[in-house]
Structures are given as structure tokens and as C-alpha cells.
Amino acid sequence: MLTFFNEQHAQQFGGTDHLVRSVQAELERRGLGQIVTPQSVPLTALERTHSPRYLSFLRNAWSESLSHPSFAGWPVVTANQHAIRTMRTDIEPEDFRARLGLYSMDTFTGIGAGTWSAAKGGADCAVNAAHALRVGERGTFVLTQPQGHHAGADFCGGYSYLNNAALAAQHLLDDEMAKVAILDLDYQHGNGAQGIFYERSDVLCLSIHADPRHAFPYFCGHADETGAGAGLGYNVNIPLAPGSNSQAWFAALETACVRLSMYRPEALIVALGGNIFQGEEHGGFGLTSADFLRLGERLAWLGFPTSFQLEGGTIRRELGINIVNVLEGFDCAMV
């Protein structure tokens, strides 16, 4: 397992350093492959997935906020108004605070001094990890924060700014793969990739997650969202009811694996959340640490070159163990 480490991750506010460090420490303890830093990718690579005006805003948001009187002395800036139904989104407002609302889906995903550096470092890791699959690696891992799976083509949200899974998939397509799949295994729905690829058939998007009637992001992730246009049938949501246990979760995983086997992608991108563990603060489907080994093994049996992207999780002693269990289970089954 080749791991790409985002050295810029700690520049993001919010205290996610514990998540990265716990996984890093467990990787090093087990000696599970090499840990490397990525080469920087050009902004044009990000523009294949995210809109140029959104990227421009995200890059410059913090410096703009320093000259805005409303944000004087703030460590992080957030929106207080959003463009919703009947409002226009094609014209950017001149007011900086209004543009914060245009490019965000919630009021808690703020932007700080190091947000762009941390998010860009994660994107670099994701693209490099995808490229490593293209040149022969069977498994790669993106060790980064902030997470990415809630970020859309032109908005941030859910503590996500750049969609690492989508960037990885698009890079593989640009590198002449014909079909790629994204499997989102975070407790919350992978709304970002769904929106980016919803009308396309070259990326199969699957997400196993908590029923959005009860969990973030609330407004998408239902089973009847199956794609549109050329992408009809290429978006698969498997929402699970509150209180669902590991047996229900693994049944959903098997459904997803059957669909993947039918699609036969040339590579698989896995958005991996630690928050499916039993007793997780923000959810959990009753999985034990041993179940994470089983998960890695099952994904290896699919036989696809696979890149794992670290998504959500909270402060738990088992977090690093669980994430690395997936990687070790995958590695061992691939031998």
C-alpha cells in the first residue's frame, strides 16, 4: 500500500490533526508500505472537476476577508446568506460575504488562513495516488484532511472544499481510462461526487450512508436518485435506516460490490470514513475493528486497482486502527 501524505493538513482550522496523526502512527507501527509526499498538480487539473470561478474564490477568500470590516479579527469566516430556490447563481455578487454564501452549502464550513493550502495538499495527494494506479500500483491511500466528499463542483460544505475522490476519478479518465467507479463508505452521503458525475456514464457513483431524512447532508442521498441523461442508472444510493447494524451494512456493501462487478471499472476510488464504527459520535453502523479488516478483504476480491481516500471520523482510540485495518485487509487479500 503506497500512502500519499498531505503535509499541509494541519494548516486547516478545526483540530483534524488528531485524525491524520492517529492513522499515520498506526501505518508506521505496522510498516504497511511506503509513506510519500505528492508532487504539486497544476490548477488546470482541478478545473477538470471544479469550476474556475469557485477555485479562484477559494484561493483568495482569506486574503479578501482581511479587508472586509465584518470579519476583522476573525480566525475563520463563514456565510450568513445562501442562494436558494428562485435566486440566481450565474452572476457573482460584488459583496464578499454574499459570495461566501454563493459558494457554500452550510454555515459551519468556514475558511481560515490555511484552508486553501490544506485542501490543495489533499487534492495533490488524491491526483498523485490515482496516477500511481495508472502506472502499476494495486492499492494507494490518501492520508489527508480536510475531507472532500461533500464538496461540489462549485461549493464547499460538510468541512469539505475540494472533492478528492472526484479529482482522482477525473484524473484517471483524463489519463485514458474509459470507466472509473467511486464507492463512498462514509456515514454521510457522498453528495459531492453524485452532483459532479450525475449526468455521466464514465463514472459509476455508489454511496452507502445514513438515511438523509435523519443525517447530513439531508437534501440528497435517497435511493431514487439514480442519475440523469447519459448518467441515468450510474448513480446508486443505498441509504440505511437509523439504528442499522453491521449485518445490514455488509448486506448493502454486497449490493454495491455486485453492481461494481457488473460495471467492471478500470479503477476504483473509495471514500473511506471512520465514522461507520460502532458508537461513533456522528453515527456508526455497529462495525467492529475486525469488520474493517473484512471490508478491506472484500474490496480486494473485486480485483480492481483501488485508491482509498480518508474522509470523516472523530476522536476515538480505535480510529487509526480501523482505517489501517481496511488497508491491511486489502493488501493481504491482494497477495
Side-chain angles (χ1 to χ4, degrees), residues 39-125:
Q39 294 183 346
S40 179
V41 301
L43 286 176
T44 51
L46 306 188
E47 290 175 355
R48 297 287 295 137
T49 299
H50 294 283
S51 73
R53 73 173 193 171
Y54 169 64
L55 293 172
S56 176
F57 170 79
L58 194 60
R59 289 175 64 202
N60 298 303
W62 179 250
S63 60
E64 277 199 71
S65 75
L66 297 178
S67 60
H68 197 287
S70 298
F71 296 121
W74 286 30
V76 58
V77 296
T78 56
N80 66 352
Q81 179 178 342
H82 295 86
I84 63 168
R85 291 172 294 280
T86 76
M87 293 184 176
R88 293 185 65 173
T89 60
D90 58 319
I91 300 175
E92 280 190 318
E94 291 292 328
D95 183 83
F96 170 70
R97 174 163 265 176
R99 275 182 286 127
L100 271 174
L102 177 63
Y103 293 118
S104 61
M105 64 179 275
D106 56 45
T107 59
F108 56 81
T109 304
I111 295 174
T115 296
W116 171 255
S117 295
K120 174 58 164 56
D124 292 341
C125 287

Side-chain angles (χ1 to χ4, degrees), residues 5 9 16-24 143-145 310:
F5 176 62
H9 76 275
T16 56
D17 183 58
H18 72 278
L19 197 163
V20 172
R21 294 301 178 187
S22 65
V23 177
Q24 181 186 22
L143 180 52
T144 186
Q145 287 291 290
L310 181 61

Side-chain angles (χ1 to χ4, degrees), residues 8-37:
Q8 309 302 318
H9 76 275
Q11 294 193 40
Q12 169 66 351
F13 70 95
T16 56
D17 183 58
H18 72 278
L19 197 163
V20 172
R21 294 301 178 187
S22 65
V23 177
Q24 181 186 22
E26 188 65 18
L27 279 170
E28 292 173 346
R29 187 184 72 81
R30 299 193 206 180
L32 193 65
Q34 188 179 8
I35 301 176
V36 300
T37 55

Side-chain angles (χ1 to χ4, degrees), residues 148-286:
H149 75 141
H150 293 306
D154 59 357
F155 62 83
C156 60
Y159 302 116
S160 303
Y161 303 89
L162 297 173
N163 195 304
N164 298 325
L167 286 164
Q170 186 61 56
H171 175 79
L172 292 170
L173 294 171
D174 291 342
D175 205 16
E176 299 185 346
M177 281 193 178
K179 296 192 300 183
V180 179
I182 296 175
L183 175 61
D184 195 298
L185 301 179
D186 192 271
Y187 182 79
Q188 298 166 340
H189 175 238
N191 63 285
Q194 171 172 302
I196 291 167
F197 299 114
Y198 202 67
E199 298 185 8
R200 293 169 53 175
S201 60
D202 52 356
V203 179
L204 172 66
C205 292
L206 308 101
S207 180
I208 303 170
H209 51 268
D211 189 325
R213 291 175 295 179
H214 305 278
F216 188 88
Y218 298 109
F219 305 109
C220 59
H222 298 282
D224 63 352
E225 298 161 21
T226 58
L232 185 61
Y234 293 92
N235 192 82
V236 180
N237 287 324
I238 310 176
L240 298 178
S244 294
N245 58 19
S246 61
Q247 182 177 0
W249 191 88
F250 273 103
L253 178 66
E254 197 58 34
T255 298
C257 287
V258 169
R259 185 68 179 85
L260 283 165
S261 296
M262 294 170 61
Y263 185 66
R264 301 299 303 171
E266 294 174 69
L268 173 63
I269 310 298
V270 178
L272 180 61
N275 49 12
I276 56 177
F277 183 62
Q278 61 183 2
E280 254 282 331
E281 179 182 343
H282 299 303
F285 289 121

